[in-house]
């Protein structure tokens, strides 16, 4: 019995030693798995960071996915709204939208605009005084940027107010134009409006300092994705011409895949143009290749119907909206908006009674707002604002974003200059040939008269002189043609070189897209490896736990 008992203990010790050795091996395996997992997680992060550095210098590539790192870096406002108060927003949008097309009218305000007798009050007075506008109030959603504005809104316009909560920025006070907080507020607005499109709602955005005198919906264009009020000083009458300037205080946008992609691209483009507001960035990107490739339709609304204070005069029988632009000072703006509202009420009373008096009714000259006269340029102009006053200056081309693009741009400009120069030389050659032909004709006429006057004396001498003149003219003509031919060949050679460089750039872009796609596949593969490693680690941990339990049982038996 003793021997048998001793034999059992020796076997238990051997089993215990073997289990401990196996346990140490599992611990080493676990360390290896953890190290591999850490390496796998770290590798895509480093690769992804490098890819972001590569993407930034190519902001105008034809593939929108080149902007993916920027879009990932910028948090989606829809997620934030869902996390904070998404259900309230969904309820407001559902109750305020037009049943037939899910359209809402959106306006934003902070405490500075929500004070009594401010733009907020004038804005709602306009809806009550306008022609066919009061019925639209049920579709107006007021987005408030602080608690004070939200409280005032609920008192005036209940169940249609949404508090857009922000962290780290105080939007309650009046923001100076182009100040850092003003830019944040404008880009927050763009981001929020883009989130409405993602939720499936069309929106008509209007600034708070606007009076609605007539229903503007009949003036909107059908089958258009993005419509924006045209700037009076840069509107050429053609609503589809992208060279028109935009007045961002009024725009109507239809929710679809094109507008959702455009708003994401617009919001991401703020990183390409730091220190610029959303309207300036819109002017820079509206003719980008990406906007053309997604098929976005953009139209500019006629300032005759969508007026503003920048205009020298308004037709009261046509205008639908009056926007208080080109005006410094919140008090001045409110005073003149009330004057416009008063003139509108007098006009409507005269229209109803048919009594116009001795003078024609219309809008009076503004009293408080005295915008400086802006220079009207026949060429394309780019608008900016200082304070609330707008100015114009010639549009400058967008600077290249990397050395390669700069080099290609310089070569392209050089080729275009050579083309213009060759055209000018060709025109000069044609003019010179015409002059030579005219001079030759005049010389021949003079020689003919001379021959007749001489009575055919020295006839052969004059013939030889005439031949010499003709030969000299032919030589000049051939020399001119040769110069023109050389210029054309140089231009054709330059064009071939440019096309080759352009093809190389396209191949570079294509290769970059392939690398992005390959990176995505590699990250998916690494993700699967991480998942498998985690599963193996979990199994190893489970087995380790079981072995510990077995070891404990062995120790207890001893």
């Amino acid at each position: 019995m003793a021997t048998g008992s001793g034999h059992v203990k020796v076997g238990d010790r051997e089993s215990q030693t073997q289990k401990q050795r196996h346990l140490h091996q599992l611990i080493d395996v676990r360390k290896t798995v953890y190290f591999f997992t850490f390496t796998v997680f770290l590798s895509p992060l480093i690769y992804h960071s490098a890819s972001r550095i590569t993407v930034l210098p190519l902001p105008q590539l034809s593939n929108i996915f080149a902007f993916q790192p920027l879009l990932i870096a910028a948090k989606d406002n829809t997620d934030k709204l869902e996390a904070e108060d998404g259900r309230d927003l969904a309820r407001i949008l559902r109750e305020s939208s037009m049943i037939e097309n899910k359209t809402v009218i959106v306006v934003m305000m902070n405490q500075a605009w929500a004070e009594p007798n401010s733009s907020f009050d004038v804005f709602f007075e306009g809806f009550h005084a306008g022609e066919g506008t009061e019925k639209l109030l049920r579709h107006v959603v007021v987005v408030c940027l602080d608690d004070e504005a939200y409280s005032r809104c609920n008192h005036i316009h209940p169940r249609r107010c949404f508090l857009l909560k922000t962290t780290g920025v105080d939007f309650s006070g009046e923001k100076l134009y182009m100040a850092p907080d003003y830019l944040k507020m404008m880009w927050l607005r763009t981001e929020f409006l883009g989130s409405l499109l993602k939720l499936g709602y069309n929106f008509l955005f209007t600034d708070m300092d606007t009076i609605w005198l007539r229903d503007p919906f009949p003036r909107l264009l059908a089958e258009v994705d993005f419509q924006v009020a045209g700037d009076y000083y840069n509107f050429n009458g053609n609503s589809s011409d992208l060279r028109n300037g935009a007045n961002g205080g009024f725009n109507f946008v239809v929710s679809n895949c094109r507008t959702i992609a455009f708003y994401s691209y617009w919001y991401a483009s703020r990183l390409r143009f730091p220190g610029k507001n959303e309207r300036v960035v819109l002017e820079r990107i509206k003719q980008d290749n990406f906007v053309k490739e997604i098929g976005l339709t953009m139209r500019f609304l006629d300032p005759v119907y969508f007026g503003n204070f920048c205009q020298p005069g308004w037709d009261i029988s046509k205008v639908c909206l009056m926007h208080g632009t080109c005006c410094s000072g919140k008090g001045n703006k409110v005073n003149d908006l009330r004057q416009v509202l008063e003139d509108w009420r007098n006009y409507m009373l005269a229209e109803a009674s048919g009594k116009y008096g001795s003078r024609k009714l219309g809008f009076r000259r503004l009293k408080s707002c005295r915008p400086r006269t802006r220079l009207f340029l026949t060429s394309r102009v780019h608008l900016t604002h200082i304070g609330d006053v707008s100015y114009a200056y010639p549009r400058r081309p967008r600077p290249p974003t990397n050395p390669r693009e700069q080099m290609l741009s310089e070569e392209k400009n050089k080729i275009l200059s050579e083309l213009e120069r060759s055209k000018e030389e060709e025109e000069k050659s044609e003019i010179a040939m015409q002059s030579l032909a005219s001079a030759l004709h005049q010389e021949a006429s003079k020689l003919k008269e001379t021959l007749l006057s001489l009575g055919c004396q020295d006839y052969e001498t004059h013939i030889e002189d005439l031949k010499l003149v003709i030969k000299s003219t032919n030589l000049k003509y051939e020399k001119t043609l040769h110069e023109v031919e050389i210029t054309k060949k140089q231009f054709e050679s330059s064009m071939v070189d440019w096309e080759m460089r352009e093809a190389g750039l396209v191949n570079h872009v294509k290769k970059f897209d392939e690398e992005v796609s390959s990176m995505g596949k590699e990250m998916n593969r690494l993700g699967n490896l991480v998942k498998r490693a985690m599963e193996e680690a979990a199994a190893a941990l489970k087995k380790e736990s079981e072995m510990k339990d077995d070891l404990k049982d062995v120790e207890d038996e001893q």
Side-chain angles (χ1 to χ4, degrees):
M1 290 292 293
T3 305
S5 176
H7 179 72
V8 171
K9 288 183 178 178
V10 171
D12 289 340
R13 280 196 216 92
E14 292 177 354
S15 177
Q16 180 180 355
T17 303
Q18 186 177 2
K19 288 182 177 180
Q20 288 178 347
R21 189 182 303 111
H22 191 52
L23 178 61
H24 287 302
Q25 291 176 352
L26 286 175
I27 291 172
D28 293 337
V29 170
R30 183 180 64 177
K31 291 180 180 178
T32 304
V33 169
Y34 286 167
F35 178 78
F36 176 75
T37 303
F38 175 75
T39 305
V40 168
F41 271 113
L42 184 61
S43 298
L45 288 176
I46 296 174
Y47 190 82
H48 182 59
S49 300
S51 69
R52 289 178 61 182
I53 296 174
T54 304
V55 170
L56 285 174
L58 297 172
Q60 287 205 12
L61 297 181
S62 59
N63 193 344
I64 182 58
F65 297 106
F67 281 90
Q68 190 66 18
L70 302 180
L71 298 177
I72 292 174
K75 287 187 67 177
D76 190 357
N77 193 41
T78 305
D79 297 336
K80 181 176 65 176
L81 295 174
E82 290 176 353
E84 295 179 347
D85 211 359
R87 286 179 296 180
D88 188 34
L89 176 62
R91 191 267 307 164
I92 294 173
L93 294 174
R94 184 175 61 254
E95 293 180 358
S96 60
S97 64
M98 301 178 185
I99 300 175
E100 62 273 14
N101 55 14
K102 293 186 68 175
T103 297
V104 293
I105 301 170
V106 181
V107 63
M108 279 190 173
M109 74 168 181
N110 59 3
Q111 180 186 358
W113 295 97
E115 297 171 355
N117 299 318
S118 65
S119 295
F120 183 55
D121 295 329
V122 179
F123 178 78
F124 276 88
E125 287 178 26
F127 276 87
H128 291 293
E131 183 179 5
T133 55
E134 190 170 11
K135 63 183 180 182
L136 300 175
L137 273 174
R138 68 173 70 96
H139 306 299
V140 175
V141 176
V142 182
V143 180
C144 306
L145 301 178
D146 54 72
D147 293 328
E148 290 77 10
Y150 182 69
S151 176
R152 180 84 201 289
C153 178
N154 276 320
H155 180 71
I156 303 296
H157 195 51
R159 296 188 63 80
R160 295 292 186 271
C161 307
F162 176 71
L163 178 59
L164 181 57
K165 299 176 183 178
T166 55
T167 56
V169 183
D170 181 15
F171 288 129
S172 59
E174 184 176 6
K175 303 302 178 185
L176 296 178
Y177 189 83
M178 297 305 291
D181 283 351
Y182 172 86
L183 294 176
K184 292 178 182 177
M185 188 164 60
M186 293 298 100
W187 285 114
L188 175 66
R189 183 178 80 181
T190 304
E191 186 182 24
F192 175 80
L193 294 175
S195 70
L196 296 184
L197 297 174
K198 295 176 184 177
L199 293 173
Y201 288 88
N202 311 328
F203 68 82
L204 193 159
F205 175 78
T206 176
D207 274 348
M208 181 68 72
D209 56 340
T210 303
I211 296 179
W212 288 42
L213 303 175
R214 292 182 174 89
D215 182 359
F217 283 96
R219 292 292 177 184
L220 298 179
L221 304 173
E223 305 298 328
V224 175
D225 297 325
F226 181 93
Q227 302 181 53
V228 62
D231 180 80
Y232 174 77
Y233 287 94
N234 197 17
F235 181 79
N236 58 21
N238 181 3
S239 63
S240 61
D241 191 344
L242 294 179
R243 292 175 297 180
N244 289 319
N247 180 348
F250 182 91
N251 54 74
F252 177 69
V253 186
V254 177
S255 175
N256 55 44
C257 59
R258 295 181 296 277
T259 54
I260 292 173
F262 174 69
Y263 263 76
S264 297
Y265 180 73
W266 187 3
Y267 182 75
S269 296
R270 78 194 189 284
L271 302 177
R272 293 165 48 196
F273 307 101
K276 304 298 182 183
N277 64 5
E278 85 296 346
R279 187 184 56 79
V280 174
V281 175
L282 173 63
E283 292 294 331
R284 302 283 181 88
I285 69 171
K286 63 186 179 182
Q287 298 192 62
D288 280 3
N289 289 334
F290 171 73
V291 179
K292 298 175 183 177
E293 289 176 3
I294 64 175
L296 182 83
T297 53
M298 184 182 300
R299 296 293 183 269
F300 298 84
L301 302 171
D302 195 334
V304 171
Y305 303 102
F306 302 87
N308 55 70
F309 283 179
C310 298
Q311 298 172 228
W314 313 273
D315 188 343
I316 197 170
S317 65
K318 294 181 179 179
V319 66
C320 297
L321 305 174
M322 185 62 71
H323 188 191
T325 55
C326 295
C327 185
S328 300
K330 184 176 61 177
N332 292 335
K333 187 172 294 190
V334 171
N335 290 338
D336 278 351
L337 286 173
R338 288 195 177 280
Q339 176 180 302
V340 169
L341 199 55
E342 181 181 351
D343 294 341
W344 170 259
R345 288 192 175 104
N346 292 334
Y347 172 79
M348 293 300 292
L349 287 175
E351 282 281 296
S353 62
K355 299 178 181 179
Y356 295 95
S358 59
R359 65 183 182 89
K360 183 178 180 181
L361 293 176
F363 294 117
R364 291 171 290 172
R365 184 178 180 181
L366 303 178
K367 293 181 179 180
S368 301
C369 296
R370 300 282 182 174
R372 298 179 183 179
T373 303
R374 298 195 300 180
L375 177 63
F376 182 79
L377 302 176
T378 55
S379 61
R380 292 176 59 190
V381 296
H382 178 63
L383 302 181
T384 188
H385 294 262
I386 301 178
D388 286 330
V389 183
S390 298
Y391 297 88
Y393 59 88
R395 181 184 299 274
R396 293 176 294 183
R398 179 184 65 82
T401 56
N402 60 27
R404 180 176 178 82
E405 184 179 352
Q406 183 177 4
M407 180 183 67
L408 292 174
S409 177
E410 291 175 354
E411 291 183 359
K412 180 180 179 181
N413 293 334
K414 183 179 179 180
I415 292 172
L416 292 176
S417 300
E418 292 177 356
L419 175 62
E420 292 294 330
R421 187 163 56 251
S422 65
K423 288 182 178 179
E424 292 176 358
E425 291 293 336
E426 188 174 358
E427 291 176 356
K428 291 179 180 180
S429 300
E430 291 179 357
I431 294 173
M433 290 304 303
Q434 292 176 0
S435 300
L436 286 173
S438 177
L440 181 61
H441 180 72
Q442 293 177 1
E443 187 68 22
S445 299
K446 290 180 181 179
L447 288 173
K448 183 178 179 180
E449 293 176 358
T450 304
L451 289 172
L452 292 175
S453 63
L454 292 174
C456 297
Q457 296 176 4
D458 298 329
Y459 178 82
E460 293 181 357
T461 302
H462 287 287
I463 289 294
E464 291 297 327
D465 293 340
L466 181 58
K467 287 181 179 179
L468 291 174
V469 171
I470 293 173
K471 184 178 180 181
S472 175
T473 303
N474 288 335
L475 290 174
K476 291 181 179 179
Y477 177 70
E478 290 175 358
K479 183 179 179 181
T480 303
L481 287 180
H482 182 66
E483 291 176 354
V484 171
E485 191 67 25
I486 292 175
T487 304
K488 286 183 178 180
K489 288 180 179 179
Q490 290 176 348
F491 172 71
E492 291 173 356
S493 176
S494 300
M495 287 299 295
V496 171
D497 184 58
W498 165 251
E499 290 174 355
M500 292 176 62
R501 292 178 180 272
E502 188 177 18
L505 181 59
V506 171
N507 292 332
H508 175 74
V509 172
K510 184 178 180 181
K511 183 178 178 181
F512 175 78
D513 293 340
E514 292 174 353
E515 290 177 356
V516 171
S517 176
S518 177
M519 183 189 71
K521 294 178 181 179
E522 182 65 17
M523 291 188 68
N524 290 335
R525 187 183 68 82
L526 291 175
N528 293 330
L529 289 176
V530 169
K531 183 178 179 182
R532 191 180 310 134
M534 294 298 292
E535 291 174 352
E536 293 176 356
L541 289 173
K542 183 178 178 181
K543 192 169 182 179
E544 179 185 353
S545 177
E546 292 175 353
M547 293 191 67
K548 285 183 178 180
D549 293 340
D550 293 343
L551 184 59
K552 186 177 180 182
D553 293 341
V554 171
E555 291 175 351
D556 291 341
E557 289 178 2
Q558 290 178 355

